[in-house]
Amino acid sequence: MPTGVIVNALAVLIGGIVGGVGGKYLSEKFKTEINMIFGLASMTMGIIAIAPTKNMAAVIFALIIGTAVGLLLHVSAWINRGAFQMQRIIARFVPANKTLSEEEFSASLLTVIVLFVSSGTGIYGALVNGMTGDATILDFFTGAIFAANLGFVVSLIAVPQFVVLMILFLLAGVIYPLTTPAMIIDFKAVGGTLMLATGFRMIKVRMFPTADMIPAMLFIMPISWAWTTWVLPLLAK
């Protein structure tokens, strides 16, 4: 069962409603500082995922190669274009928060769409759920705090988020039988690195190109397998 995907989409839906209702009662200082805690939580989960790494060299190679490919293919630009179109559709049905200018509202909503639908955290969580059954990565509180600024529009993002993450969940079920325990652990380490980078972005310390880093999750398993099968035996001689 895609428990994590279902619960995560519901978390964004409900979190958006809660934030839309209660956001007006929260101060800007509270919203800003609690978002810092969410960023810290993302970084903590990332560190925990990275710690058990089996083949650190393979993880580093995957990150470098994957990010280079993402930058060359302009993955972030494609994701932003899709998010922009989504934002235009959503904004037709749900009015903007009157406390924000139209430009601020559009920019903030675009950020939220990318965060929930195509971030490393969401993709990583869906794939891990499909491969291992781990369904612990949720977006309820993040959805609530964004909705406190943007209103109920955040809840509608749960629809495209569910579709994208469900596809990834189903793909994970096909991939898992072809993997080894070391490949799964190294995959989690790459996902953890993306979560760490996402945390840095959320607290606005460093704007890592997280969208362009996503292809690293495609490269890590074959690189991990090749490292274990070919490189390590040569190094052991």
Side-chain angles (χ1 to χ4, degrees), residues 39 42-43 45-46 49 120-121 124 137 190-200:
S42 178
M43 294 165 71
M45 289 188 290
T121 304
Y124 167 65
I137 300 173
V190 170
T193 305
L194 266 69
M195 292 174 72
L196 190 61
T198 298
F200 276 111

Side-chain angles (χ1 to χ4, degrees), residues 12 14 20 24 37 56 98 106 136-138 146 154 168-169 175 186 208 221 225 232 234:
V12 172
I14 297 170
K24 60 185 177 181
I37 301 302
M56 181 58 70
K98 298 302 183 182
S106 296
T136 57
I137 300 173
L138 302 177
F146 275 117
V154 171
L168 293 171
F169 173 87
I175 296 169
D186 290 342
F208 285 96
M221 286 194 177
W225 177 85
L232 287 183
L234 291 175

Side-chain angles (χ1 to χ4, degrees), residues 81-103:
R81 285 176 194 166
F84 178 72
Q85 294 302 321
M86 197 182 305
Q87 177 265 334
R88 291 179 62 186
I89 294 171
I90 290 175
R92 290 179 184 174
F93 298 97
V94 181
N97 187 330
K98 298 302 183 182
T99 62
L100 299 177
S101 68
E102 183 176 346
E103 183 178 349

Side-chain angles (χ1 to χ4, degrees), residues 27-29 37-38 71 110 135 138 150 172 187 192 194 202 231:
S27 67
E28 289 302 317
K29 182 176 184 294
I37 301 302
F38 298 151
L71 290 169
L110 187 64
L138 302 177
L150 298 177
F187 170 79
L194 266 69
M202 290 180 72
V231 179

